[in-house]
Amino acid sequence: MALIVQKYGGSSVSDAQSIKRVAKRIAEARRAGNDVVVVVSAMGDTTDELLDLAGQISPRPPQRELDILLTAGERISMSLLAMAITNLGVKAKSFTGQQAGLITDAVHGRARIVDVVPHRIRETIERGQVAIVAGFQGVSSNNDVTTLGRGGSDTTAVALAAGLDADVCEIYTDVDGVFTADPRIVPSARKIERTTYEEMLELAASGAKVLALRSVEYARRYGVPVHVRSSFSGATGTMVVGTHGDLIDPNASHDQEEAMEDPIISGVAHDRSESKITIVGVPDVPGQAARIFEVVAGAGANIDMIVQNVSAAATGLTDISFTLPHGDARPTMAALNAVKDELKFAELEVDDQIGKLSLVGAGMKSHPGVSARLFGALRDAGVNIEMISTSEIRISVVTREDSLDDAVRAVHTAFQLDSSDGEAVVYAGTGR
Amino acid sequence: MALIVQKYGGSSVSDAQSIKRVAKRIAEARRAGNDVVVVVSAMGDTTDELLDLAGQISPRPPQRELDILLTAGERISMSLLAMAITNLGVKAKSFTGQQAGLITDAVHGRARIVDVVPHRIRETIERGQVAIVAGFQGVSSNNDVTTLGRGGSDTTAVALAAGLDADVCEIYTDVDGVFTADPRIVPSARKIERTTYEEMLELAASGAKVLALRSVEYARRYGVPVHVRSSFSGATGTMVVGTHGDLIDPNASHDQEEAMEDPIISGVAHDRSESKITIVGVPDVPGQAARIFEVVAGAGANIDMIVQNVSAAATGLTDISFTLPHGDARPTMAALNAVKDELKFAELEVDDQIGKLSLVGAGMKSHPGVSARLFGALRDAGVNIEMISTSEIRISVVTREDSLDDAVRAVHTAFQLDSSDGEAVVYAGTGR
């Protein structure tokens, strides 16, 4: 039948009971005749507990040792899962990242995969056994244990699916798939049936947490079909595939075919994880921005949006604002203050009370009506826009954090994404 | 200076605080100019907790998966210990059994070491760094994780000390060394300053728990000097060395030199972990005993002492008794009952209320006075002897379990091992 790579996150294997439940699902997939490879994260809060232990030992533990410590988590979950599957009468074996052939560079804590040589995994499935692989971890060329950083298990799953030429990579999670907005904020949010790598990338980069950004990049590069679905139900979730061509449902009505030139809105993402820094009163001379962002990069900050005000002719001064993760704000402020005399700015402001809303979908740029409708919806909801940035398939705005939920709901409704707006959604987020 | 291998058990690294304390001791050894390699067990009750988790998942988990699960424990303790040492300003790196080059056979759960190739450990100490190695674990030739079974971390330490040609292997524990008897039973028991591998082997095999039997066998084979000492104090503990020649203290008085031909009693060990099976009314014909112990071995039992009564001439029947670990009694009884018709015995009796006392020391066989004094002490204490077995350097007797403590105290006193009996014990257990 098919070769399936399944990935289960920590919340799906939080205790013995849930491990048994997951084992049953895996055994069923195997009994249905599929070759099954399973990638598993550490149980529940294990990783946080281990980090807490490390914190009790050392304020700044060496990253190499932290990697060894954290990979104990998957070692526990993967062996328990293999036991549970074996106990159901289906043979299963577990493998560390090293044993599974996940070769990475030596950058501990956020290693990149450089090769996947899954000989042992292939052998195992050829013998009709289920292979369980530790997520999040690999081995460097000098035989040191590495971790892939945040969302690492998703990346392990997609990389193995690519390396094994799997038919699909199923990412199991505690929600039913990717939604048009966070259902906790927008109760009428709809599950997206199918979307493209590009839109999924924008959604993940804009705060949708269901799938790690890096794994989507990997899936896109190797063309791995990804199925995001719930570990609690048998329902299909969200398929993430190559191009919008792949999205056309052969059973679609003429109405939908005619609509193909219209923008296809995938959903509304939001993000509360960023701060805004504003550099006030910067001399508006060539090279000034380059120098500023050199300093910011030197502080290790990942900046997101940047806005420069129009310079006031009278003073020759301008303001520059940018957003970055909360945790990067303090070192960045320190780095900028250290060169205040050189850059000659008046002052620095930091604001951690911002929210970001992103509307993601295909064909936005060629439809000026989209941004007009977005801004109108925010105005009607009384939400002030502080920054704007756009890409080919995304429009993001920064608002006050406390008006973010209202903003998400207003935009979701304005683009007719609410589930009551349509029936028989063939592919979600069409805005029809 | 010296190359020292130190081993810390689970009780020495039970929480963050004790890990920091151990780290301090290791850092001091390194700062004193020694090359230091540290073998560490899993923290406190980690192994039991992991076994409990496995038990919740499966009644009979595959041994390969159990090995992967259990080795998570050392992964946690070794990385935390490396962090703690680094935090004290001494560079340290941790290594799994696989990384440290501990190659074993593929018998999961009780693997034997087949080779030690500690290239990375050597590199690490040559750079002046402390190498932390996970105890209890190795890697098989097919790159699977194995565990060494009970007392595995002691064996790892001794094997590494042999492979690195270390000057000494220090086994840190929660007691001050090896004692002439269990101080919980005999408060006047004395710490043994020096003893030989052979006597330590007999002590370990007879129930002394401070050092795993296997590690003593390994130390003896490769001539590794072992120092059993407390992780809570700086005092020297018990040195386990090659021959009694090594035991002679250059500062010893003439009195002691003259005593060299006398028996040297090391101590009194006791054991409550065995049951006794008696096969009543066995026809006393050739080959019968061989067949019985074939069946017993087939049941997987490790038998210890064997006694066959003198056959009663009138009946041509005899009784055979043997001792074995409690857990082996039930399968052995079942195996014997299954061949009752073939063996033609009258009945089987099992007794789990026995205790075993062993007196260990050099030169016993050539001094008949030793056994006479032992049996006399037991008689005076009102202790009945049920079985006797002897070796070159040991006499063991089986008693009722509830009289074992009295027996140990009586024998300890009779051989003048009580600490009030002597002062300035040059090498303990001389009986002088």
Side-chain angles (χ1 to χ4, degrees):
Chain A
M1 307 278 289
L3 168 51
I4 302 175
V5 174
Q6 299 187 336
K7 180 257 168 177
Y8 294 93
S11 60
S12 302
V13 291
S14 56
D15 55 20
Q17 214 47 47
S18 51
I19 288 174
K20 287 183 190 176
R21 195 173 47 72
V22 164
K24 218 172 142 194
R25 183 183 270 270
I26 295 167
E28 278 164 13
R30 174 66 201 127
R31 287 210 172 100
N34 300 296
D35 288 331
V36 184
V37 175
V38 177
V39 173
V40 67
S41 302
M43 288 169 73
D45 300 325
T46 308
T47 303
D48 287 341
E49 286 164 19
L50 292 173
L51 278 172
D52 180 57
L53 256 180
Q56 290 175 43
I57 295 283
S58 170
R60 288 200 313 154
Q63 195 62 52
R64 176 186 182 275
E65 301 303 324
L66 213 46
D67 277 1
I68 292 170
L69 179 70
L70 295 183
T71 51
E74 288 80 35
R75 213 169 177 87
I76 295 170
S77 56
M78 77 185 203
S79 53
L80 291 176
L81 188 53
M83 291 174 194
I85 296 168
T86 305
N87 197 40
L88 297 173
V90 171
K91 284 190 177 155
K93 270 188 175 178
S94 70
F95 299 92
T96 63
Q98 185 248 1
Q99 291 173 331
L102 277 137
I103 318 296
T104 72
D105 60 22
V107 183
H108 289 286
R110 48 191 175 90
R112 313 288 307 189
I113 295 172
V114 296
D115 203 1
V116 180
V117 279
H119 301 312
R120 294 195 71 182
I121 306 306
R122 227 185 280 274
E123 265 173 47
T124 304
I125 56 178
E126 276 165 10
R127 287 189 195 133
Q129 302 176 350
V130 174
I132 314 289
V133 179
F136 177 66
Q137 58 178 255
V139 65
S140 68
S141 56
N142 49 357
N143 197 22
D144 272 335
V145 179
T146 55
T147 65
L148 306 181
R150 280 184 111 194
S153 290
D154 289 355
T155 307
T156 302
V158 171
L160 266 178
L164 294 164
D165 199 20
D167 294 289
V168 63
C169 179
E170 298 180 340
I171 306 285
Y172 285 88
T173 169
D174 51 4
V175 294
D176 287 335
V178 184
F179 278 72
T180 51
D182 185 335
R184 286 168 299 187
I185 295 176
V186 185
S188 61
R190 291 190 308 219
K191 187 180 72 185
I192 302 174
E193 302 285 330
R194 297 172 81 85
T195 189
T196 62
Y197 297 125
E198 286 73 15
E199 282 152 42
M200 194 64 231
L201 275 178
E202 291 283 7
L203 284 169
S206 306
K209 290 183 182 63
V210 69
L211 203 53
L213 180 59
R214 237 172 109 184
S215 67
V216 185
E217 286 169 350
Y218 207 107
R220 181 192 188 195
R221 181 173 305 176
Y222 293 95
V224 178
V226 175
H227 186 183
V228 181
R229 58 193 304 193
S230 168
S231 66
F232 296 94
S233 82
T236 56
T238 300
M239 282 300 302
V240 185
V241 288
T243 64
H244 270 285
D246 294 338
L247 293 183
I248 296 172
D249 187 311
N251 303 318
S253 71
H254 283 288
D255 263 15
Q256 280 155 339
E257 283 180 19
E258 282 162 24
M260 294 259 328
E261 280 289 307
D262 281 352
I264 302 174
I265 304 300
S266 285
V268 185
H270 71 278
D271 190 352
R272 295 175 201 277
S273 70
E274 295 190 342
S275 295
K276 182 176 71 173
I277 290 178
T278 302
I279 310 173
V280 180
V282 185
D284 192 7
V285 295
Q288 196 73 351
R291 182 67 191 121
I292 287 172
F293 290 105
E294 249 174 49
V295 172
V296 172
N302 272 318
I303 57 166
D304 179 20
M305 292 166 69
I306 304 175
V307 169
Q308 179 170 350
N309 289 357
V310 177
S311 161
T315 61
L317 296 178
T318 184
D319 298 341
I320 296 179
S321 295
F322 56 90
T323 64
L324 74 181
H326 286 316
D328 290 350
R330 190 195 291 228
T332 303
M333 293 286 284
L336 285 170
N337 269 320
V339 293
K340 187 174 180 180
D341 290 347
E342 179 200 339
L343 292 174
K344 300 187 175 61
F345 57 82
E347 59 178 321
L348 279 184
E349 289 169 1
V350 64
D351 179 355
D352 60 5
Q353 302 293 310
I354 62 166
K356 185 176 75 170
L357 174 153
S358 300
L359 183 70
V360 174
M364 284 186 165
K365 270 280 169 70
S366 50
H367 283 264
V370 172
S371 45
R373 204 197 289 189
L374 171 66
F375 301 151
L378 292 173
R379 177 201 58 216
D380 294 348
V383 174
N384 191 41
I385 300 172
E386 304 186 9
M387 293 172 86
I388 301 171
S389 99
T390 60
S391 82
E392 195 63 37
I393 57 173
R394 177 183 53 79
I395 306 175
S396 297
V397 297
V398 167
T399 68
R400 284 293 87 203
E401 187 181 3
D402 56 16
S403 58
L404 183 60
D405 289 358
D406 287 341
V408 170
R409 280 186 285 265
V411 172
H412 198 267
T413 302
F415 285 90
Q416 292 165 296
L417 295 170
D418 295 343
S419 53
S420 57
D421 290 344
E423 62 208 289
V425 178
V426 176
Y427 46 98
T430 60
R432 312 275 89 204
Chain B
M1 306 279 287
L3 169 49
I4 303 174
V5 175
Q6 300 188 336
K7 179 256 168 180
Y8 294 92
S11 60
S12 301
V13 291
S14 57
D15 55 21
Q17 214 47 47
S18 51
I19 288 174
K20 286 184 190 173
R21 195 174 45 75
V22 164
K24 218 173 143 194
R25 184 183 269 269
I26 295 167
E28 278 163 13
R30 174 66 201 125
R31 287 211 173 100
N34 301 294
D35 289 330
V36 184
V37 176
V38 177
V39 173
V40 67
S41 302
M43 290 169 71
D45 302 325
T46 309
T47 304
D48 287 340
E49 286 164 18
L50 292 173
L51 278 173
D52 181 58
L53 255 181
Q56 290 175 43
I57 295 283
S58 169
R60 288 201 311 154
Q63 194 64 54
R64 175 185 183 276
E65 301 303 324
L66 213 45
D67 277 1
I68 293 171
L69 179 70
L70 295 183
T71 51
E74 287 80 34
R75 216 172 175 82
I76 295 171
S77 56
M78 76 186 205
S79 52
L80 291 175
L81 187 53
M83 290 174 195
I85 296 168
T86 305
N87 197 41
L88 297 173
V90 171
K91 282 189 179 160
K93 268 187 177 181
S94 70
F95 298 92
T96 63
Q98 185 249 0
Q99 291 173 333
L102 276 136
I103 318 296
T104 72
D105 60 22
V107 184
H108 289 286
R110 47 191 177 90
R112 314 286 307 187
I113 295 172
V114 295
D115 203 1
V116 179
V117 279
H119 303 313
R120 293 194 72 182
I121 306 307
R122 227 184 281 274
E123 265 174 46
T124 304
I125 56 179
E126 276 166 11
R127 285 190 197 130
Q129 302 176 351
V130 174
I132 314 288
V133 178
F136 177 65
Q137 59 178 255
V139 66
S140 68
S141 56
N142 50 357
N143 197 22
D144 271 334
V145 179
T146 55
T147 64
L148 308 181
R150 280 182 112 196
S153 291
D154 288 356
T155 308
T156 301
V158 172
L160 265 177
L164 293 164
D165 199 18
D167 295 287
V168 64
C169 179
E170 298 181 339
I171 306 285
Y172 285 88
T173 169
D174 49 5
V175 295
D176 286 337
V178 184
F179 277 73
T180 52
D182 186 335
R184 285 168 300 187
I185 294 176
V186 184
S188 60
R190 289 192 306 221
K191 187 179 72 183
I192 301 175
E193 302 285 328
R194 298 170 82 86
T195 188
T196 62
Y197 298 125
E198 287 73 16
E199 282 151 41
M200 194 63 232
L201 274 178
E202 292 283 8
L203 284 169
S206 306
K209 292 185 181 62
V210 69
L211 203 54
L213 180 60
R214 236 172 111 184
S215 67
V216 186
E217 287 171 349
Y218 207 108
R220 181 193 189 196
R221 180 172 307 176
Y222 293 95
V224 177
V226 175
H227 186 184
V228 181
R229 59 193 302 193
S230 167
S231 66
F232 295 95
S233 84
T236 55
T238 301
M239 281 300 301
V240 186
V241 289
T243 65
H244 270 285
D246 295 341
L247 293 183
I248 296 172
D249 189 310
N251 302 319
S253 73
H254 283 289
D255 262 14
Q256 279 153 341
E257 282 178 19
E258 283 162 25
M260 293 261 328
E261 280 290 306
D262 282 349
I264 303 174
I265 304 298
S266 286
V268 184
H270 70 279
D271 191 353
R272 295 174 201 277
S273 69
E274 296 190 343
S275 296
K276 180 176 71 169
I277 290 177
T278 303
I279 311 174
V280 180
V282 184
D284 192 7
V285 294
Q288 196 73 350
R291 181 68 190 120
I292 286 171
F293 289 105
E294 247 173 54
V295 172
V296 171
N302 273 318
I303 59 167
D304 180 19
M305 293 165 71
I306 304 175
V307 168
Q308 181 172 349
N309 289 358
V310 176
S311 162
T315 60
L317 295 178
T318 185
D319 298 341
I320 295 178
S321 294
F322 56 91
T323 64
L324 74 182
H326 287 317
D328 290 350
R330 191 195 289 229
T332 302
M333 292 289 282
L336 285 170
N337 270 318
V339 293
K340 189 175 180 180
D341 291 347
E342 179 200 337
L343 293 175
K344 297 190 177 60
F345 57 81
E347 59 177 319
L348 278 184
E349 288 169 0
V350 64
D351 178 356
D352 60 2
Q353 302 293 310
I354 63 165
K356 186 176 75 170
L357 175 153
S358 300
L359 182 71
V360 174
M364 284 189 168
K365 270 282 169 67
S366 49
H367 284 264
V370 172
S371 44
R373 200 195 295 189
L374 171 65
F375 301 151
L378 292 173
R379 178 201 58 215
D380 295 346
V383 174
N384 191 42
I385 299 173
E386 304 187 10
M387 293 172 84
I388 300 172
S389 97
T390 60
S391 81
E392 195 64 38
I393 58 174
R394 176 183 52 79
I395 307 175
S396 297
V397 297
V398 167
T399 68
R400 284 295 83 204
E401 188 180 2
D402 55 16
S403 58
L404 183 61
D405 289 0
D406 287 341
V408 170
R409 278 186 287 263
V411 172
H412 198 266
T413 301
F415 285 90
Q416 292 164 295
L417 295 171
D418 296 343
S419 53
S420 57
D421 289 344
E423 62 207 288
V425 179
V426 177
Y427 45 99
T430 61
R432 309 276 90 204

